[in-house]
Amino acid sequence: MLDLNNHSIILASGSPRRHQFLNEMGLPFEVRLKSVDEVYPPKLLGSQISDYLAKLKADAFEGSLEAGEILITSDTVVWHNSVSLAKAADAKEAFEMLRALSGDWHEVITSVCFTTSSSQKVVHQATKVKFRELSDEEIHYYINNFKPYDKAGAYGIQEWIGLTGIEEIKRSYPNVVGLPTQLVYKTLIEMVK
């Protein structure tokens, strides 16, 4: 169990999956949310995008952190054929994303930014994921029943499509769900020493 050594964790995420991970890791935290326009420079690639957006989310809290508070912000991108698949705007876009991912490998990259009143550190992890060939009927079933519009790449690995469609994963499973838990824990150990 990590001794936070008089530090407190502020999680700037409304994601129930991230909340669950921190709870299961035994890390007490407070949720603080600020609205951020998630726009990044078009020249950025892969982890540069998620790093940039994780830092952008932290920037919204500039000047508001107390001594001893550690702000955690994060962002996940699905990277496929040199294109970032963000959250789908509608069913048509979700279908196009899942059709593109079907039968192929992609990377899920999650960046986590740790910000204090005096320092900032960004880490990221990439996990390779492979879908089997998905039928159009399966993709429509998933979209209609699970409405995955709040997820990068238009899917949640912990949902029906992940359970039935993912053939192989290389590296961290929690990272694909939305938080590289081992990396977060390791970074916090370094920060609270």
Side-chain angles (χ1 to χ4, degrees):
M1 182 75 163
L2 175 60
D3 178 4
L4 288 174
N5 200 16
N6 296 319
H7 290 79
S8 56
I9 296 171
I10 311 299
L11 179 64
S13 173
S15 162
R17 296 164 295 280
R18 290 179 180 140
H19 295 181
Q20 181 183 355
F21 278 144
L22 289 190
N23 280 323
E24 290 175 352
M25 291 161 68
L27 298 172
F29 64 96
E30 173 193 334
V31 176
R32 287 187 205 160
L33 301 175
K34 291 198 184 228
S35 182
V36 174
D37 193 12
E38 297 182 28
V39 177
Y40 59 87
K43 67 181 187 298
L44 300 183
L45 305 172
S47 62
Q48 295 173 332
I49 298 170
S50 51
D51 283 0
Y52 179 91
L53 291 174
K55 282 194 266 191
L56 186 69
K57 291 172 182 178
D59 289 348
F61 291 83
E62 191 172 349
S64 68
L65 294 176
E66 303 288 332
E69 290 183 332
I70 301 172
L71 174 72
I72 296 178
T73 54
S74 60
D75 192 78
T76 300
V77 298
V78 170
W79 189 248
H80 178 253
N81 290 341
S82 302
V83 174
S84 173
L85 303 181
K87 296 169 185 171
D90 53 32
K92 179 176 181 291
E93 201 172 323
F95 181 86
E96 288 167 1
M97 286 183 189
L98 291 168
R99 168 61 36 238
L101 296 176
S102 174
D104 202 1
W105 285 95
H106 62 276
E107 273 192 318
V108 179
I109 307 162
T110 301
S111 296
V112 185
C113 181
F114 299 83
T115 306
T116 69
S117 56
S118 60
S119 67
Q120 188 172 75
K121 178 174 187 168
V122 180
V123 297
H124 62 256
Q125 185 159 55
T127 302
K128 290 183 180 290
V129 180
K130 187 184 184 207
F131 271 109
R132 66 172 171 79
E133 287 286 348
L134 302 168
S135 70
D136 289 358
E137 292 74 25
E138 288 172 322
I139 295 172
H140 284 304
Y141 170 82
Y142 174 66
I143 293 166
N144 292 336
N145 287 280
F146 292 86
K147 312 264 187 286
Y149 307 119
D150 64 333
K151 298 172 178 71
Y155 80 91
I157 193 170
Q158 71 279 14
E159 295 175 340
W160 181 85
I161 202 159
L163 298 173
T164 63
I166 288 177
E167 284 185 337
E168 218 174 320
I169 297 177
K170 294 180 180 174
R171 293 196 79 181
S172 166
Y173 170 82
N175 186 55
V176 185
V177 180
L179 199 68
T181 51
Q182 181 271 335
L183 188 55
V184 167
Y185 200 80
K186 177 173 168 258
T187 306
L188 285 170
I189 288 171
E190 293 165 2
M191 292 184 77
V192 302
K193 289 196 248 199

